[in-house]
Amino acid sequence: MLVVLLGLTAIPAAFSADAQSAQSGEAQSGRKIVNKVIPVYPSTARSMSLAGTVKLEALVLANGTVKSIQVKGGNPLLAQAAQNAVREWKWAKAERESTEALEFRFRP
């Protein structure tokens, strides 16, 4: 599982949130992420001091692009922001599709 702390870069859930781990860019499947876009914290969520965790599952094609994203949990407003960012992500090419579990933590 990959965790993104808003304001930090994506990190695998198994790592701590330090700067060295944040640079690893490895997903649970072992596919390297070559382009990450950090979600934009929605202004509505910020004004409401809304915080929380969003869990997504992304189907990544062999060419590294995101085919589909499924929300597995979290506030819909925050989930939309996370989905918008992940649609722009790019993984390294692989022989076949992979499913990537992602987790984003939003803090005001």
Side-chain angles (χ1 to χ4, degrees):
M1 179 175 299
L2 194 68
V3 177
V4 175
L5 300 174
L6 203 61
L8 300 175
T9 55
I11 58 172
F15 290 75
S16 63
D18 62 36
Q20 291 180 348
S21 310
Q23 301 303 319
S24 66
E26 293 289 323
Q28 186 175 7
S29 70
R31 283 183 83 171
K32 183 180 172 103
I33 301 168
V34 296
N35 182 49
K36 298 178 209 173
V37 174
I38 301 301
V40 175
Y41 192 94
S43 59
T44 305
R46 186 176 304 281
S47 68
M48 296 169 39
S49 295
L50 186 62
T53 300
V54 172
K55 294 181 181 185
L56 303 177
E57 192 172 88
L59 179 60
V60 181
L61 297 173
N63 68 5
T65 60
V66 176
K67 180 178 181 181
S68 63
I69 302 169
Q70 188 173 39
V71 178
K72 294 296 189 174
N75 179 284
L77 184 59
L78 300 176
Q80 187 61 54
Q83 286 180 47
N84 291 343
V86 172
R87 280 189 189 95
E88 302 298 320
W89 286 24
K90 179 88 173 169
W91 274 261
K93 292 181 180 180
E95 292 183 20
R96 60 182 180 271
E97 294 178 347
S98 65
T99 301
E100 305 296 332
L102 307 169
E103 185 175 291
F104 297 84
R105 292 185 185 149
F106 289 86
R107 298 180 195 162

